[in-house]
PDB file of all heavy atoms in Angstrom:
ATOM      1  N   THR A   1      -3.224  19.691 204.520  1.00 90.00           N
ATOM      2  CA  THR A   1      -4.352  19.801 203.667  1.00 90.00           C
ATOM      3  C   THR A   1      -4.079  19.155 202.315  1.00 90.00           C
ATOM      4  O   THR A   1      -2.910  18.951 201.939  1.00 90.00           O
ATOM      5  CB  THR A   1      -4.739  21.278 203.411  1.00 90.00           C
ATOM      6  OG1 THR A   1      -3.679  21.913 202.666  1.00 90.00           O
ATOM      7  CG2 THR A   1      -4.944  22.004 204.728  1.00 90.00           C
ATOM      8  N   LYS A   2      -5.130  18.821 201.570  1.00 91.00           N
ATOM      9  CA  LYS A   2      -4.962  18.251 200.252  1.00 91.00           C
ATOM     10  C   LYS A   2      -4.224  19.204 199.327  1.00 91.00           C
ATOM     11  O   LYS A   2      -3.357  18.788 198.561  1.00 91.00           O
ATOM     12  CB  LYS A   2      -6.364  17.921 199.666  1.00 91.00           C
ATOM     13  CG  LYS A   2      -6.314  17.270 198.305  1.00 91.00           C
ATOM     14  CD  LYS A   2      -7.741  16.941 197.849  1.00 91.00           C
ATOM     15  CE  LYS A   2      -7.718  16.325 196.435  1.00 91.00           C
ATOM     16  NZ  LYS A   2      -9.066  16.003 195.944  1.00 91.00           N
ATOM     17  N   ARG A   3      -4.529  20.492 199.448  1.00 91.00           N
ATOM     18  CA  ARG A   3      -3.841  21.511 198.601  1.00 91.00           C
ATOM     19  C   ARG A   3      -2.362  21.519 198.915  1.00 91.00           C
ATOM     20  O   ARG A   3      -1.538  21.642 198.021  1.00 91.00           O
ATOM     21  CB  ARG A   3      -4.451  22.907 198.827  1.00 91.00           C
ATOM     22  CG  ARG A   3      -5.886  23.029 198.390  1.00 91.00           C
ATOM     23  CD  ARG A   3      -6.343  24.493 198.458  1.00 91.00           C
ATOM     24  NE  ARG A   3      -6.024  25.115 199.720  1.00 91.00           N
ATOM     25  CZ  ARG A   3      -6.768  24.973 200.824  1.00 91.00           C
ATOM     26  NH1 ARG A   3      -7.864  24.262 200.784  1.00 91.00           N
ATOM     27  NH2 ARG A   3      -6.424  25.587 201.950  1.00 91.00           N
ATOM     28  N   GLY A   4      -2.034  21.448 200.215  1.00 93.00           N
ATOM     29  CA  GLY A   4      -0.627  21.481 200.595  1.00 93.00           C
ATOM     30  C   GLY A   4       0.144  20.277 200.083  1.00 93.00           C
ATOM     31  O   GLY A   4       1.271  20.403 199.600  1.00 93.00           O
ATOM     32  N   HIS A   5      -0.467  19.096 200.184  1.00 95.00           N
ATOM     33  CA  HIS A   5       0.183  17.898 199.649  1.00 95.00           C
ATOM     34  C   HIS A   5       0.412  18.012 198.156  1.00 95.00           C
ATOM     35  O   HIS A   5       1.462  17.594 197.650  1.00 95.00           O
ATOM     36  CB  HIS A   5      -0.664  16.664 199.961  1.00 95.00           C
ATOM     37  CG  HIS A   5      -0.574  16.199 201.373  1.00 95.00           C
ATOM     38  ND1 HIS A   5       0.520  15.490 201.837  1.00 95.00           N
ATOM     39  CD2 HIS A   5      -1.411  16.317 202.428  1.00 95.00           C
ATOM     40  CE1 HIS A   5       0.349  15.223 203.111  1.00 95.00           C
ATOM     41  NE2 HIS A   5      -0.828  15.682 203.498  1.00 95.00           N
ATOM     42  N   ALA A   6      -0.541  18.565 197.430  1.00 96.00           N
ATOM     43  CA  ALA A   6      -0.417  18.725 195.977  1.00 96.00           C
ATOM     44  C   ALA A   6       0.752  19.668 195.646  1.00 96.00           C
ATOM     45  O   ALA A   6       1.516  19.450 194.704  1.00 96.00           O
ATOM     46  CB  ALA A   6      -1.693  19.245 195.378  1.00 96.00           C
ATOM     47  N   ARG A   7       0.924  20.691 196.457  1.00 97.00           N
ATOM     48  CA  ARG A   7       2.017  21.634 196.228  1.00 97.00           C
ATOM     49  C   ARG A   7       3.389  21.004 196.510  1.00 97.00           C
ATOM     50  O   ARG A   7       4.354  21.235 195.781  1.00 97.00           O
ATOM     51  CB  ARG A   7       1.839  22.861 197.113  1.00 97.00           C
ATOM     52  CG  ARG A   7       0.759  23.813 196.623  1.00 97.00           C
ATOM     53  CD  ARG A   7       1.158  24.459 195.326  1.00 97.00           C
ATOM     54  NE  ARG A   7       0.203  25.516 194.945  1.00 97.00           N
ATOM     55  CZ  ARG A   7       0.311  26.288 193.877  1.00 97.00           C
ATOM     56  NH1 ARG A   7       1.318  26.099 193.060  1.00 97.00           N
ATOM     57  NH2 ARG A   7      -0.597  27.206 193.614  1.00 97.00           N
ATOM     58  N   VAL A   8       3.476  20.212 197.571  1.00 97.00           N
ATOM     59  CA  VAL A   8       4.724  19.516 197.851  1.00 97.00           C
ATOM     60  C   VAL A   8       5.101  18.611 196.682  1.00 97.00           C
ATOM     61  O   VAL A   8       6.268  18.575 196.263  1.00 97.00           O
ATOM     62  CB  VAL A   8       4.614  18.697 199.167  1.00 97.00           C
ATOM     63  CG1 VAL A   8       5.829  17.806 199.355  1.00 97.00           C
ATOM     64  CG2 VAL A   8       4.492  19.647 200.374  1.00 97.00           C
ATOM     65  N   LYS A   9       4.151  17.907 196.179  1.00 97.00           N
ATOM     66  CA  LYS A   9       4.410  17.006 195.071  1.00 97.00           C
ATOM     67  C   LYS A   9       4.847  17.785 193.811  1.00 97.00           C
ATOM     68  O   LYS A   9       5.794  17.400 193.122  1.00 97.00           O
ATOM     69  CB  LYS A   9       3.169  16.167 194.724  1.00 97.00           C
ATOM     70  CG  LYS A   9       3.353  15.182 193.623  1.00 97.00           C
ATOM     71  CD  LYS A   9       2.074  14.370 193.373  1.00 97.00           C
ATOM     72  CE  LYS A   9       2.313  13.387 192.215  1.00 97.00           C
ATOM     73  NZ  LYS A   9       1.048  12.623 191.938  1.00 97.00           N
ATOM     74  N   ALA A  10       4.160  18.903 193.556  1.00 98.00           N
ATOM     75  CA  ALA A  10       4.506  19.732 192.365  1.00 98.00           C
ATOM     76  C   ALA A  10       5.887  20.334 192.505  1.00 98.00           C
ATOM     77  O   ALA A  10       6.657  20.344 191.545  1.00 98.00           O
ATOM     78  CB  ALA A  10       3.459  20.817 192.207  1.00 98.00           C
ATOM     79  N   GLU A  11       6.218  20.825 193.679  1.00 98.00           N
ATOM     80  CA  GLU A  11       7.592  21.341 193.896  1.00 98.00           C
ATOM     81  C   GLU A  11       8.626  20.274 193.573  1.00 98.00           C
ATOM     82  O   GLU A  11       9.618  20.546 192.897  1.00 98.00           O
ATOM     83  CB  GLU A  11       7.746  21.811 195.355  1.00 98.00           C
ATOM     84  CG  GLU A  11       7.126  23.137 195.693  1.00 98.00           C
ATOM     85  CD  GLU A  11       7.545  23.623 197.069  1.00 98.00           C
ATOM     86  OE1 GLU A  11       8.485  23.021 197.664  1.00 98.00           O
ATOM     87  OE2 GLU A  11       6.931  24.577 197.598  1.00 98.00           O
ATOM     88  N   ALA A  12       8.419  19.091 194.082  1.00 98.00           N
ATOM     89  CA  ALA A  12       9.391  17.989 193.886  1.00 98.00           C
ATOM     90  C   ALA A  12       9.508  17.641 192.432  1.00 98.00           C
ATOM     91  O   ALA A  12      10.597  17.339 191.931  1.00 98.00           O
ATOM     92  CB  ALA A  12       8.971  16.772 194.709  1.00 98.00           C
ATOM     93  N   GLU A  13       8.400  17.664 191.689  1.00 98.00           N
ATOM     94  CA  GLU A  13       8.464  17.327 190.294  1.00 98.00           C
ATOM     95  C   GLU A  13       9.243  18.359 189.496  1.00 98.00           C
ATOM     96  O   GLU A  13      10.043  17.996 188.596  1.00 98.00           O
ATOM     97  CB  GLU A  13       7.037  17.225 189.728  1.00 98.00           C
ATOM     98  CG  GLU A  13       6.292  15.955 190.198  1.00 98.00           C
ATOM     99  CD  GLU A  13       4.892  15.871 189.643  1.00 98.00           C
ATOM    100  OE1 GLU A  13       4.414  16.851 189.041  1.00 98.00           O
ATOM    101  OE2 GLU A  13       4.275  14.786 189.807  1.00 98.00           O
ATOM    102  N   TRP A  14       9.071  19.603 189.816  1.00 98.00           N
ATOM    103  CA  TRP A  14       9.857  20.658 189.141  1.00 98.00           C
ATOM    104  C   TRP A  14      11.361  20.523 189.544  1.00 98.00           C
ATOM    105  O   TRP A  14      12.235  20.666 188.697  1.00 98.00           O
ATOM    106  CB  TRP A  14       9.339  22.041 189.524  1.00 98.00           C
ATOM    107  CG  TRP A  14       8.124  22.433 188.737  1.00 98.00           C
ATOM    108  CD1 TRP A  14       6.841  22.382 189.112  1.00 98.00           C
ATOM    109  CD2 TRP A  14       8.132  22.911 187.367  1.00 98.00           C
ATOM    110  NE1 TRP A  14       6.025  22.811 188.109  1.00 98.00           N
ATOM    111  CE2 TRP A  14       6.782  23.138 187.015  1.00 98.00           C
ATOM    112  CE3 TRP A  14       9.130  23.189 186.433  1.00 98.00           C
ATOM    113  CZ2 TRP A  14       6.391  23.611 185.759  1.00 98.00           C
ATOM    114  CZ3 TRP A  14       8.739  23.667 185.174  1.00 98.00           C
ATOM    115  CH2 TRP A  14       7.407  23.866 184.844  1.00 98.00           C
ATOM    116  N   GLN A  15      11.595  20.232 190.788  1.00 98.00           N
ATOM    117  CA  GLN A  15      12.964  20.085 191.235  1.00 98.00           C
ATOM    118  C   GLN A  15      13.705  18.888 190.607  1.00 98.00           C
ATOM    119  O   GLN A  15      14.942  18.851 190.584  1.00 98.00           O
ATOM    120  CB  GLN A  15      13.038  19.974 192.774  1.00 98.00           C
ATOM    121  CG  GLN A  15      12.683  21.254 193.514  1.00 98.00           C
ATOM    122  CD  GLN A  15      12.513  21.060 195.008  1.00 98.00           C
ATOM    123  OE1 GLN A  15      11.905  20.080 195.438  1.00 98.00           O
ATOM    124  NE2 GLN A  15      13.031  21.989 195.814  1.00 98.00           N
ATOM    125  N   SER A  16      12.945  17.904 190.151  1.00 98.00           N
ATOM    126  CA  SER A  16      13.562  16.703 189.631  1.00 98.00           C
ATOM    127  C   SER A  16      14.092  16.864 188.202  1.00 98.00           C
ATOM    128  O   SER A  16      14.776  15.964 187.681  1.00 98.00           O
ATOM    129  CB  SER A  16      12.519  15.560 189.644  1.00 98.00           C
ATOM    130  OG  SER A  16      11.503  15.765 188.672  1.00 98.00           O
ATOM    131  N   ILE A  17      13.800  17.981 187.555  1.00 98.00           N
ATOM    132  CA  ILE A  17      14.243  18.187 186.174  1.00 98.00           C
ATOM    133  C   ILE A  17      15.718  18.647 186.212  1.00 98.00           C
ATOM    134  O   ILE A  17      16.015  19.736 186.728  1.00 98.00           O
ATOM    135  CB  ILE A  17      13.369  19.230 185.475  1.00 98.00           C
ATOM    136  CG1 ILE A  17      11.932  18.739 185.420  1.00 98.00           C
ATOM    137  CG2 ILE A  17      13.913  19.489 184.048  1.00 98.00           C
ATOM    138  CD1 ILE A  17      10.956  19.731 184.804  1.00 98.00           C
ATOM    139  N   PRO A  18      16.638  17.885 185.649  1.00 98.00           N
ATOM    140  CA  PRO A  18      18.070  18.219 185.694  1.00 98.00           C
ATOM    141  C   PRO A  18      18.346  19.540 184.964  1.00 98.00           C
ATOM    142  O   PRO A  18      17.700  19.830 183.914  1.00 98.00           O
ATOM    143  CB  PRO A  18      18.762  17.075 184.970  1.00 98.00           C
ATOM    144  CG  PRO A  18      17.780  15.927 185.056  1.00 98.00           C
ATOM    145  CD  PRO A  18      16.414  16.547 185.014  1.00 98.00           C
ATOM    146  N   ASP A  19      19.269  20.337 185.528  1.00 98.00           N
ATOM    147  CA  ASP A  19      19.795  21.557 184.868  1.00 98.00           C
ATOM    148  C   ASP A  19      18.753  22.654 184.777  1.00 98.00           C
ATOM    149  O   ASP A  19      19.017  23.683 184.118  1.00 98.00           O
ATOM    150  CB  ASP A  19      20.336  21.244 183.467  1.00 98.00           C
ATOM    151  CG  ASP A  19      21.440  20.231 183.472  1.00 98.00           C
ATOM    152  OD1 ASP A  19      22.285  20.287 184.418  1.00 98.00           O
ATOM    153  OD2 ASP A  19      21.503  19.372 182.601  1.00 98.00           O
ATOM    154  N   LEU A  20      17.625  22.521 185.414  1.00 98.00           N
ATOM    155  CA  LEU A  20      16.605  23.579 185.380  1.00 98.00           C
ATOM    156  C   LEU A  20      16.921  24.660 186.391  1.00 98.00           C
ATOM    157  O   LEU A  20      17.078  24.339 187.583  1.00 98.00           O
ATOM    158  CB  LEU A  20      15.220  23.033 185.637  1.00 98.00           C
ATOM    159  CG  LEU A  20      14.028  23.927 185.404  1.00 98.00           C
ATOM    160  CD1 LEU A  20      13.818  24.148 183.915  1.00 98.00           C
ATOM    161  CD2 LEU A  20      12.750  23.330 186.033  1.00 98.00           C
ATOM    162  N   PRO A  21      17.087  25.926 185.998  1.00 98.00           N
ATOM    163  CA  PRO A  21      17.391  26.995 186.962  1.00 98.00           C
ATOM    164  C   PRO A  21      16.131  27.413 187.729  1.00 98.00           C
ATOM    165  O   PRO A  21      15.623  28.536 187.559  1.00 98.00           O
ATOM    166  CB  PRO A  21      17.921  28.121 186.068  1.00 98.00           C
ATOM    167  CG  PRO A  21      17.209  27.952 184.755  1.00 98.00           C
ATOM    168  CD  PRO A  21      17.044  26.449 184.593  1.00 98.00           C
ATOM    169  N   LEU A  22      15.705  26.496 188.587  1.00 98.00           N
ATOM    170  CA  LEU A  22      14.420  26.670 189.269  1.00 98.00           C
ATOM    171  C   LEU A  22      14.551  27.549 190.543  1.00 98.00           C
ATOM    172  O   LEU A  22      15.497  27.397 191.316  1.00 98.00           O
ATOM    173  CB  LEU A  22      13.881  25.307 189.664  1.00 98.00           C
ATOM    174  CG  LEU A  22      12.506  25.275 190.389  1.00 98.00           C
ATOM    175  CD1 LEU A  22      11.416  25.758 189.448  1.00 98.00           C
ATOM    176  CD2 LEU A  22      12.220  23.874 190.893  1.00 98.00           C
ATOM    177  N   HIS A  23      13.568  28.400 190.716  1.00 98.00           N
ATOM    178  CA  HIS A  23      13.430  29.236 191.901  1.00 98.00           C
ATOM    179  C   HIS A  23      12.046  29.043 192.437  1.00 98.00           C
ATOM    180  O   HIS A  23      11.048  29.307 191.729  1.00 98.00           O
ATOM    181  CB  HIS A  23      13.687  30.717 191.613  1.00 98.00           C
ATOM    182  CG  HIS A  23      15.002  30.974 190.947  1.00 98.00           C
ATOM    183  ND1 HIS A  23      15.260  30.621 189.633  1.00 98.00           N
ATOM    184  CD2 HIS A  23      16.136  31.571 191.445  1.00 98.00           C
ATOM    185  CE1 HIS A  23      16.520  30.968 189.334  1.00 98.00           C
ATOM    186  NE2 HIS A  23      17.037  31.534 190.395  1.00 98.00           N
ATOM    187  N   ILE A  24      11.900  28.581 193.680  1.00 98.00           N
ATOM    188  CA  ILE A  24      10.588  28.336 194.279  1.00 98.00           C
ATOM    189  C   ILE A  24      10.271  29.480 195.266  1.00 98.00           C
ATOM    190  O   ILE A  24      11.093  29.830 196.102  1.00 98.00           O
ATOM    191  CB  ILE A  24      10.540  26.992 195.005  1.00 98.00           C
ATOM    192  CG1 ILE A  24      10.665  25.831 193.985  1.00 98.00           C
ATOM    193  CG2 ILE A  24       9.249  26.837 195.812  1.00 98.00           C
ATOM    194  CD1 ILE A  24      10.774  24.457 194.616  1.00 98.00           C
ATOM    195  N   PHE A  25       9.069  30.048 195.092  1.00 98.00           N
ATOM    196  CA  PHE A  25       8.644  31.120 195.994  1.00 98.00           C
ATOM    197  C   PHE A  25       7.398  30.621 196.725  1.00 98.00           C
ATOM    198  O   PHE A  25       6.356  30.347 196.120  1.00 98.00           O
ATOM    199  CB  PHE A  25       8.290  32.368 195.150  1.00 98.00           C
ATOM    200  CG  PHE A  25       9.473  32.865 194.353  1.00 98.00           C
ATOM    201  CD1 PHE A  25       9.718  32.411 193.079  1.00 98.00           C
ATOM    202  CD2 PHE A  25      10.337  33.815 194.887  1.00 98.00           C
ATOM    203  CE1 PHE A  25      10.798  32.853 192.339  1.00 98.00           C
ATOM    204  CE2 PHE A  25      11.433  34.263 194.160  1.00 98.00           C
ATOM    205  CZ  PHE A  25      11.653  33.772 192.876  1.00 98.00           C
ATOM    206  N   ARG A  26       7.547  30.476 198.042  1.00 98.00           N
ATOM    207  CA  ARG A  26       6.426  30.016 198.888  1.00 98.00           C
ATOM    208  C   ARG A  26       5.714  31.258 199.416  1.00 98.00           C
ATOM    209  O   ARG A  26       6.252  31.981 200.253  1.00 98.00           O
ATOM    210  CB  ARG A  26       6.944  29.116 199.977  1.00 98.00           C
ATOM    211  CG  ARG A  26       7.488  27.776 199.419  1.00 98.00           C
ATOM    212  CD  ARG A  26       8.144  26.943 200.471  1.00 98.00           C
ATOM    213  NE  ARG A  26       8.622  25.656 199.911  1.00 98.00           N
ATOM    214  CZ  ARG A  26       9.580  24.909 200.418  1.00 98.00           C
ATOM    215  NH1 ARG A  26      10.129  25.288 201.588  1.00 98.00           N
ATOM    216  NH2 ARG A  26       9.960  23.793 199.818  1.00 98.00           N
ATOM    217  N   LEU A  27       4.483  31.460 198.905  1.00 98.00           N
ATOM    218  CA  LEU A  27       3.749  32.675 199.202  1.00 98.00           C
ATOM    219  C   LEU A  27       2.814  32.493 200.372  1.00 98.00           C
ATOM    220  O   LEU A  27       2.134  31.480 200.487  1.00 98.00           O
ATOM    221  CB  LEU A  27       2.926  33.078 197.957  1.00 98.00           C
ATOM    222  CG  LEU A  27       3.693  33.125 196.623  1.00 98.00           C
ATOM    223  CD1 LEU A  27       2.748  33.548 195.509  1.00 98.00           C
ATOM    224  CD2 LEU A  27       4.905  34.036 196.674  1.00 98.00           C
ATOM    225  N   ALA A  28       2.790  33.492 201.247  1.00 97.00           N
ATOM    226  CA  ALA A  28       1.803  33.545 202.306  1.00 97.00           C
ATOM    227  C   ALA A  28       0.466  34.008 201.709  1.00 97.00           C
ATOM    228  O   ALA A  28       0.326  34.138 200.490  1.00 97.00           O
ATOM    229  CB  ALA A  28       2.305  34.481 203.399  1.00 97.00           C
ATOM    230  N   GLY A  29      -0.520  34.314 202.567  1.00 95.00           N
ATOM    231  CA  GLY A  29      -1.821  34.757 202.073  1.00 95.00           C
ATOM    232  C   GLY A  29      -1.698  36.069 201.284  1.00 95.00           C
ATOM    233  O   GLY A  29      -1.217  37.044 201.843  1.00 95.00           O
ATOM    234  N   ILE A  30      -2.133  36.050 200.041  1.00 96.00           N
ATOM    235  CA  ILE A  30      -1.946  37.190 199.152  1.00 96.00           C
ATOM    236  C   ILE A  30      -3.139  38.139 199.221  1.00 96.00           C
ATOM    237  O   ILE A  30      -4.281  37.744 199.187  1.00 96.00           O
ATOM    238  CB  ILE A  30      -1.784  36.696 197.673  1.00 96.00           C
ATOM    239  CG1 ILE A  30      -0.648  35.655 197.565  1.00 96.00           C
ATOM    240  CG2 ILE A  30      -1.483  37.898 196.764  1.00 96.00           C
ATOM    241  CD1 ILE A  30      -0.613  34.973 196.210  1.00 96.00           C
ATOM    242  N   TYR A  31      -2.807  39.442 199.321  1.00 96.00           N
ATOM    243  CA  TYR A  31      -3.820  40.458 199.209  1.00 96.00           C
ATOM    244  C   TYR A  31      -3.282  41.591 198.349  1.00 96.00           C
ATOM    245  O   TYR A  31      -2.083  41.649 198.057  1.00 96.00           O
ATOM    246  CB  TYR A  31      -4.276  40.960 200.589  1.00 96.00           C
ATOM    247  CG  TYR A  31      -3.232  41.827 201.315  1.00 96.00           C
ATOM    248  CD1 TYR A  31      -3.330  43.212 201.341  1.00 96.00           C
ATOM    249  CD2 TYR A  31      -2.146  41.243 202.001  1.00 96.00           C
ATOM    250  CE1 TYR A  31      -2.431  44.003 202.004  1.00 96.00           C
ATOM    251  CE2 TYR A  31      -1.221  42.029 202.621  1.00 96.00           C
ATOM    252  CZ  TYR A  31      -1.366  43.430 202.635  1.00 96.00           C
ATOM    253  OH  TYR A  31      -0.435  44.181 203.298  1.00 96.00           O
ATOM    254  N   GLY A  32      -4.134  42.531 197.983  1.00 95.00           N
ATOM    255  CA  GLY A  32      -3.712  43.642 197.153  1.00 95.00           C
ATOM    256  C   GLY A  32      -4.917  44.277 196.478  1.00 95.00           C
ATOM    257  O   GLY A  32      -6.063  43.943 196.823  1.00 95.00           O
ATOM    258  N   PRO A  33      -4.700  45.185 195.546  1.00 93.00           N
ATOM    259  CA  PRO A  33      -5.833  45.904 194.941  1.00 93.00           C
ATOM    260  C   PRO A  33      -6.846  44.926 194.377  1.00 93.00           C
ATOM    261  O   PRO A  33      -6.554  44.055 193.578  1.00 93.00           O
ATOM    262  CB  PRO A  33      -5.139  46.669 193.804  1.00 93.00           C
ATOM    263  CG  PRO A  33      -3.725  46.893 194.263  1.00 93.00           C
ATOM    264  CD  PRO A  33      -3.384  45.649 195.063  1.00 93.00           C
ATOM    265  N   GLY A  34      -8.113  45.074 194.847  1.00 88.00           N
ATOM    266  CA  GLY A  34      -9.182  44.219 194.388  1.00 88.00           C
ATOM    267  C   GLY A  34      -9.262  42.905 195.130  1.00 88.00           C
ATOM    268  O   GLY A  34     -10.177  42.116 194.901  1.00 88.00           O
TER     269      GLY A  34
END
């Protein structure tokens, strides 16, 4: 999907920053109060 491609690109851009203590959390479908 277009959304998925945009996320892959965004992940890579964050990962490309040297020395950044990055943690990526890939979330499934979110539900909860409200």
Side-chain angles (χ1 to χ4, degrees):
T1 66
K2 182 178 178 181
R3 295 188 310 278
H5 282 284
R7 284 293 188 178
V8 170
K9 183 179 179 182
E11 283 189 12
E13 288 180 350
W14 280 100
Q15 289 171 318
S16 72
I17 299 176
D19 302 320
L20 190 72
L22 181 66
H23 305 71
I24 293 174
F25 301 88
R26 293 174 179 158
L27 311 180
I30 306 170
Y31 72 101

